[in-house]
Amino acid sequence: MQLIVKRFEELTVKELYEILKIRVSVFVVEQNCPYQEIDGKDKQSFHVYLKDDDGIQAYLRVVDKGVSYDEVSIGRVIAVKRRHGIGSKILSEGIKVAKNKLKATAIRIEAQTYAKEFYEKQGFKQVSGIFLEDGIPHVQMLLDCVSPAL
């Protein structure tokens, strides 16, 4: 599996099409959630994905500090095959991009509540109560990238 990390302007039309196709298929169609998937943040993000001969297998975007939050953020986390470890792998790679390319001292996310434990395994901590985003329960979570692990 090949890891690709690109800023928006570096993506080819084919790559962008495949990214948007997979995001819409999961976040709009599969979750039956009509919302503005293309939200204007892609232009201020690193796009991180794992691909093989069949195409993109996992994806996320790392959004610049100050766009969604005061901190760097990660979103649109997708693994085509679930429960195979690829989601954990792409999240780990996204955290590396946030730290190494954007010098993140913290990473903030909005996690669907069913996925909270997935993010906790990588060190994220819940920092809000449950709220609805597009009709789906979410929590904000934060990863401290500076403090040493206990």
Side-chain angles (χ1 to χ4, degrees):
M1 198 132 349
Q2 183 181 5
L3 175 68
I4 309 292
V5 178
K6 291 185 175 184
R7 292 295 293 189
F8 179 82
E9 57 276 1
E10 297 172 315
L11 293 170
T12 66
V13 172
K14 183 178 178 183
E15 287 170 319
L16 181 59
Y17 179 85
E18 191 171 352
I19 287 166
L20 295 175
K21 183 179 176 192
I22 193 172
R23 285 179 13 188
V24 168
S25 81
V26 171
F27 296 119
V28 177
V29 177
E30 181 182 308
Q31 294 184 350
N32 193 25
C33 183
Y35 78 106
Q36 190 61 45
E37 208 295 319
I38 300 172
D39 59 5
K41 297 176 185 177
D42 289 318
K43 292 180 180 180
Q44 299 150 316
S45 301
F46 276 99
H47 298 269
V48 182
Y49 63 94
L50 291 165
K51 74 173 196 168
D52 62 16
D53 292 339
D54 294 325
I56 294 176
Q57 298 303 312
Y59 167 86
L60 59 74
R61 69 179 179 187
V62 181
V63 183
D64 295 348
K65 182 179 182 178
V67 175
S68 296
Y69 304 104
D70 290 340
E71 304 88 358
V72 170
S73 62
I74 289 177
R76 303 296 200 266
V77 181
I78 302 168
V80 175
K81 295 176 187 167
R82 291 160 185 140
R83 311 265 188 258
H84 287 89
I86 195 165
S88 296
K89 172 89 171 134
I90 197 68
L91 182 57
S92 177
E93 294 296 340
I95 292 167
K96 287 179 194 172
V97 168
K99 289 178 178 179
N100 298 333
K101 295 192 178 287
L102 296 176
K103 307 301 180 216
T105 56
I107 303 168
R108 184 175 295 269
I109 63 170
E110 285 187 0
Q112 293 182 13
T113 54
Y114 83 87
K116 188 179 120 174
E117 288 181 26
F118 168 75
Y119 292 104
E120 287 173 335
K121 288 178 184 174
Q122 298 247 8
F124 285 88
K125 306 239 186 291
Q126 182 175 336
V127 294
S128 79
I130 296 173
F131 60 93
L132 291 179
E133 182 75 28
D134 299 311
I136 298 172
H138 283 72
V139 292
Q140 282 194 9
M141 301 185 81
L142 196 66
L143 176 67
D144 182 344
C145 300
V146 178
S147 299
L150 298 176

